[in-house]
Amino acid sequence: MDRATLADFLRRHREALRPEDVGLPAGARRRAPGLRREEVAALAVMSADYYTRLEQQRGPQPSVQMLASLARALRLTNDECDYLFRIAGHNPPAPMSGATDVAPALLRVLDRLDDTPALILSGLAETLVQNRLAEALFGDKSGYSGLARSEIFRWFTDPSERLRYPEDDRDRQSRALVANLRAAHGAMGAQSRAGDLVRALQEMSAEFAGLWERHEVAKRFEDHKTLIHPELGPIELDCQVLFTEDQSQALLVLTAPPRTEAYEKLRLLATPGRQRFTGNEAETGTEIEPDRGSAAETTRQPAGR
């Protein structure tokens, strides 16, 4: 680990970014160019103290997961990401089929969506990035690893994954997920991560195996669904999808028509602080900010490669 080079690299790339590059307001009291250290730390889901120590050549060696989060926060190119890993004492991540590097164009759109749930998914339904409202709606999806990063894998192996959907809509969701995986499998081939996912699910889930044999293929461009929030209950949402040109990633945006019950529930999700909901009433308390130091370093999954 080259502490001096790492510190200088992080500082220079932080100073080269502007708030609008990452979807932040510029503010009126900025005296120095670029992002503040605490802003980069928040984007990378780590404590400001931890990031500051890296820039001051005092921090411990960052984990692979933490470097991936830093690369995304600083909007590094693939070459810059590889360089970051090397100076931090790690081998660069091997490129993987399935385009798990977050598409810059989709990320720029996501940066500007702060009033509605939005997330970027890979072709295998892996959550690559989610905004704060998507996290409030779906929960934090950054802690999964291996095949469990895929929503498709979790849907057929973890019963709790289905609690977000009404019981009478779960069969439709099962078929849609398998049809989506069939499309990804056709594009990526049998000897790919899609193939690994299919083989694992065929062994683990009789339901999946039966649906796979139907050979249904589809990618959903739009949808209307009801999601069950653990505190707010059912929320009817319209889903719009924006794909990259090669169809390997998708930006999913969820909205509700104004002046509807679902619209008001999304507004409650966006309310700062902790809410405890009883019926249609909300009680707002004081939000306790979690310690995102060393714990974040060990649990955060790569949002890039």
Side-chain angles (χ1 to χ4, degrees):
M1 176 178 174
D2 187 339
R3 294 181 183 276
T5 302
L6 176 62
D8 189 56
F9 181 84
L10 292 175
R11 178 179 58 81
R12 289 183 181 275
H13 280 271
R14 174 176 61 80
E15 292 177 349
L17 284 173
R18 297 294 181 267
E20 55 269 25
D21 295 334
V22 296
L24 295 174
R29 296 187 177 182
R30 289 186 181 271
R31 293 175 292 181
L35 298 181
R36 301 185 177 105
R37 287 172 174 168
E38 57 268 26
E39 290 171 334
V40 173
L43 290 169
V45 196
M46 65 176 66
S47 71
D49 177 69
Y50 180 86
Y51 178 78
T52 298
R53 284 185 284 141
L54 289 178
E55 281 204 8
Q56 294 177 345
Q57 306 180 38
R58 298 186 296 110
Q61 182 184 32
S63 67
V64 169
Q65 290 85 0
M66 190 60 72
L67 290 172
S69 291
L70 279 170
R72 179 173 61 84
L74 294 171
R75 304 303 191 256
L76 300 184
T77 65
N78 287 345
D79 290 338
E80 290 167 342
C81 178
D82 289 349
Y83 180 76
L84 172 66
F85 272 72
R86 290 191 180 98
I87 61 178
H90 291 283
N91 291 324
M96 296 187 296
S97 60
T100 53
D101 290 308
V102 182
L106 292 188
L107 192 55
R108 286 194 295 271
V109 177
L110 180 71
D111 286 336
R112 287 155 177 79
L113 295 173
D114 58 0
D115 61 349
T116 195
L119 57 159
I120 297 176
L121 301 170
S122 75
L124 300 181
E126 299 158 320
T127 298
L128 304 179
V129 190
Q130 58 187 147
N131 67 9
R132 63 185 181 87
L133 279 180
E135 184 173 329
L137 181 62
F138 293 105
D140 184 2
K141 302 297 185 182
S142 66
Y144 295 105
S145 60
L147 293 176
R149 291 188 65 198
S150 169
E151 178 190 346
I152 305 169
F153 182 84
R154 299 194 306 272
W155 181 265
F156 289 101
T157 60
D158 182 0
S160 66
E161 190 74 16
R162 303 190 177 205
L163 298 179
R164 294 279 177 176
Y165 286 81
E167 188 171 357
D168 59 3
D169 193 38
R170 293 172 188 172
D171 288 343
R172 183 180 74 99
Q173 180 70 359
S174 293
R175 291 181 62 183
L177 289 174
V178 175
N180 184 81
L181 179 55
R182 176 68 77 171
H185 186 270
M188 298 168 64
Q191 303 306 315
S192 67
R193 292 190 303 124
D196 294 340
L197 185 56
V198 170
R199 286 185 287 274
L201 285 173
Q202 285 176 319
E203 293 182 1
M204 300 175 69
S205 170
E207 179 191 6
F208 173 86
L211 291 173
W212 185 254
E213 290 303 315
R214 294 188 181 191
H215 284 266
E216 294 178 339
V217 185
K219 281 193 174 184
R220 289 181 293 178
F221 287 84
E222 60 183 356
D223 195 6
H224 180 83
K225 65 176 64 180
T226 298
L227 296 174
I228 309 296
H229 189 271
E231 294 172 317
L232 293 174
I235 308 177
E236 290 190 43
L237 297 170
D238 293 313
C239 308
Q240 297 294 328
V241 181
L242 175 64
F243 285 100
T244 53
E245 185 175 358
D246 63 1
Q247 301 277 297
S248 64
Q249 291 182 17
L251 172 64
L252 175 64
V253 183
L254 299 106
T255 62
R259 297 178 296 280
T260 62
E261 181 181 5
Y263 181 83
E264 294 303 320
K265 288 182 177 181
L266 288 183
R267 289 184 62 187
L268 284 175
L269 284 179
T271 303
R274 179 189 298 170
Q275 293 90 26
R276 295 188 300 276
F277 300 100
T278 304
N280 294 324
E281 297 179 350
E283 178 183 356
T284 301
T286 302
E287 183 177 17
I288 301 174
E289 186 68 23
D291 181 4
R292 297 186 182 272
S294 58
E297 182 183 358
T298 58
T299 60
R300 178 71 174 177
Q301 295 300 317
R305 289 187 286 183

